[in-house]
Amino acid sequence: MSSMTICARFRPLSSKERRDHGDTVCIRCIDAETFLFKDEKDEEFTFSFDKVFYEKSEQAQVYEFLARPIVEDAVDAINGTIITYGQTGAGKTYSMEGPSILVCDEQKRGLLPRVVEGLFDCIKSSGGTMKHSIKLSMVEIYMEKVRYVEVEWLNLTQIHSLWGIKDLFDLSKDNIQIKESKSQGILLNGVTEISVSDPTEALQSLSSGIANRAVGETQMNMASSRSHCIYIFTVHQEVKRDDRLKTGKLILVDLAGSEKVEKTGAEGKVLEEAKTINKSLSVLGNVINALTCGSPGKANHIPFRDSKLTRILQDSLGGNSRTALLCCCSPSPSNALESLSTLRFGMRAKHI
Ligand code: ADP
Ligand code: MG
């Protein structure tokens, strides 16, 4: 049985949005789960989620509702996934990392440092009956190449885009392969795994991965908003007086921006890149949808294999696992179209 929690979060208006539109926002809160959304043609839509975090919501509230249950289960060897979705600038990374992962106000700390702390707290409170260890990996899925194949006799242009997986703890490993093992499930072949024994160590490793991501970004002339960033915590649980080893995998995903690229603004590589990103996001939507729509006892096809992203997430989205999706949006009328598309993605994922 997999459980799915889907939430929406609106960040505060940015100063630019305020300059352009004053204090106007396109949402009206009804309650903690429901709001009205007004698009640019003044048409109103009602949306309901498991929880809505409005502009004044705090990072701690998001963690408590969306992440804490998943963290507690991971220590009990139940896999989990926490995903942030939304257009670039909507608050995905702010929700995930906070302003900085190492130093920032307690109040502003993001999900990631809270998850780290939560994992170690849970381990501590599980007492002496079990021995736990935590390993950490960090990878980025980026678009490697776009190839155009002209099939002249058919008057067709086929586009092959390839996604690569890069190890953010070791940038020399930039083409990690996904493997499936009977005993361990989905594996990233040869990926660096760092054993972390306390929150400080974990945060330092994460921070080096984040710094590496920025280095790669400059080297490849690629915006981080065009790649998916994946944080993987593997929690091993060894029951004393018993030689069983159980494992819980907790994966956090800061997705590439979901924005649609305007046909007029983007050409060639940028346009193809955007199409590919949207494809991998729509595969994610299809997978989540297939998981939530599955009728009990009836096997339905879940298209995990249609993208590298969903393949990596396969055993922490499907099976006995918990998933949380945070749909991040701007509240400004100037971003209404993208916000609407983000909210619809969330609703579609939730729809049963
Ligand atoms: P994304 O990762 O989706 O591209 P960011 O997380 O980088 O977007 O957010 C864009 C900007 O908005 C950043 O300057 C960030 O600090 C700010 N921001 C996002 N969410 C919030 C929030 N909940 N509270 C305050 N500022 C926020
Ligand atoms: Mg970001």
Side-chain angles (χ1 to χ4, degrees):
M1 188 222 48
S2 69
S3 91
M4 194 82 65
T5 303
I6 300 179
C7 303
R9 184 179 201 186
F10 293 94
R11 62 157 167 73
L13 286 166
S14 69
S15 44
K16 180 173 188 308
E17 288 168 341
R18 254 180 223 288
R19 231 179 297 127
D20 296 349
H21 291 269
D23 290 339
T24 321
V25 292
C26 53
I27 44 165
R28 202 169 82 228
C29 162
I30 295 183
D31 59 30
E33 287 94 35
T34 308
F35 58 90
L36 285 176
F37 185 97
K38 205 188 265 186
D39 76 0
E40 78 289 358
K41 292 181 205 112
D42 271 1
E43 200 177 334
E44 277 196 321
F45 302 87
T46 310
F47 283 100
S48 290
F49 289 91
D50 292 316
K51 180 81 106 191
V52 184
F53 300 101
Y54 295 99
E55 291 97 312
K56 291 204 174 80
S57 65
E58 306 225 334
Q59 299 277 59
Q61 292 173 277
V62 179
Y63 174 78
E64 289 300 325
F65 186 82
L66 188 135
R68 182 192 282 281
I70 300 186
V71 167
E72 288 170 354
D73 273 355
V75 176
D76 267 337
I78 294 169
N79 293 346
T81 311
I82 302 168
I83 302 170
T84 54
Y85 181 98
Q87 78 178 115
T88 301
K92 296 181 298 297
T93 305
Y94 182 89
S95 299
M96 203 53 106
E97 296 173 7
S100 153
I101 184 147
L102 286 182
V103 276
C104 81
D105 291 351
E106 155 59 29
Q107 214 192 358
K108 292 185 180 163
R109 289 163 76 234
L111 287 171
L112 203 48
R114 291 174 200 270
V115 160
V116 165
E117 211 155 79
L119 283 174
F120 283 101
D121 280 351
C122 284
I123 287 176
K124 216 187 287 167
S125 62
S126 74
T129 54
M130 279 181 242
K131 199 170 153 247
H132 284 93
S133 61
I134 300 183
K135 281 186 184 153
L136 186 56
S137 298
M138 213 177 137
V139 297
E140 181 178 42
I141 307 184
Y142 64 100
M143 205 184 62
E144 190 179 35
K145 254 174 230 152
V146 186
R147 257 201 318 244
Y148 301 85
V149 182
E150 303 255 359
V151 186
E152 267 174 47
W153 56 276
L154 277 174
N155 196 18
L156 271 180
T157 308
Q158 290 180 340
I159 298 146
H160 294 255
S161 29
L162 303 169
W163 287 83
I165 302 174
K166 178 158 60 183
D167 189 334
L168 288 174
F169 290 147
D170 181 353
L171 291 181
S172 70
K173 299 180 190 164
D174 63 357
N175 192 18
I176 301 269
Q177 300 297 312
I178 303 170
K179 287 215 167 148
E180 190 164 4
S181 121
K182 269 224 170 85
S183 56
Q184 291 167 282
I186 301 291
L187 290 177
L188 290 169
N189 199 27
V191 76
T192 308
E193 287 189 292
I194 301 182
S195 291
V196 288
S197 51
D198 59 49
T200 314
E201 240 176 56
L203 289 179
Q204 260 153 10
S205 299
L206 289 168
S207 150
S208 77
I210 292 168
N212 274 344
R213 190 181 185 208
V215 170
E217 200 177 308
T218 328
Q219 279 171 356
M220 295 180 60
N221 190 21
M222 184 184 72
S224 64
S225 59
R226 304 195 163 281
S227 65
H228 309 301
C229 188
I230 305 185
Y231 310 87
I232 305 169
F233 295 88
T234 312
V235 188
H236 293 292
Q237 180 197 70
E238 207 178 310
V239 182
K240 280 185 188 162
R241 290 185 292 137
D242 191 342
D243 55 0
R244 277 177 313 150
L245 185 70
K246 291 207 274 179
T247 304
K249 197 158 59 169
L250 172 54
I251 306 187
L252 277 68
V253 188
D254 187 350
L255 288 172
S258 60
E259 56 272 14
K260 306 218 173 11
V261 168
E262 278 181 56
K263 287 195 184 85
T264 48
E267 290 170 42
K269 182 159 187 273
V270 175
L271 182 59
E272 291 320 321
E273 217 170 57
K275 276 193 201 157
T276 323
I277 289 166
N278 281 325
K279 174 169 182 261
S280 97
L281 293 176
S282 76
V283 172
L284 176 67
N286 294 343
V287 163
I288 294 178
N289 191 243
L291 287 169
T292 50
C293 290
S295 38
K298 201 178 147 207
N300 62 327
H301 174 70
I302 299 167
F304 288 114
R305 284 177 180 270
D306 289 0
S307 79
K308 284 201 162 92
L309 174 68
T310 48
R311 189 88 174 103
I312 293 180
L313 297 178
Q314 181 164 341
D315 55 12
S316 47
L317 279 179
N320 181 25
S321 66
R322 271 179 180 275
T323 302
L325 175 68
L326 184 64
C327 299
C328 301
C329 297
S330 151
S332 168
S334 55
N335 283 309
L337 218 57
E338 286 299 342
S339 298
L340 200 55
S341 133
T342 296
L343 297 167
R344 284 188 172 140
F345 179 91
M347 288 300 280
R348 179 168 158 264
K350 193 172 110 83
H351 198 79
I352 301 180

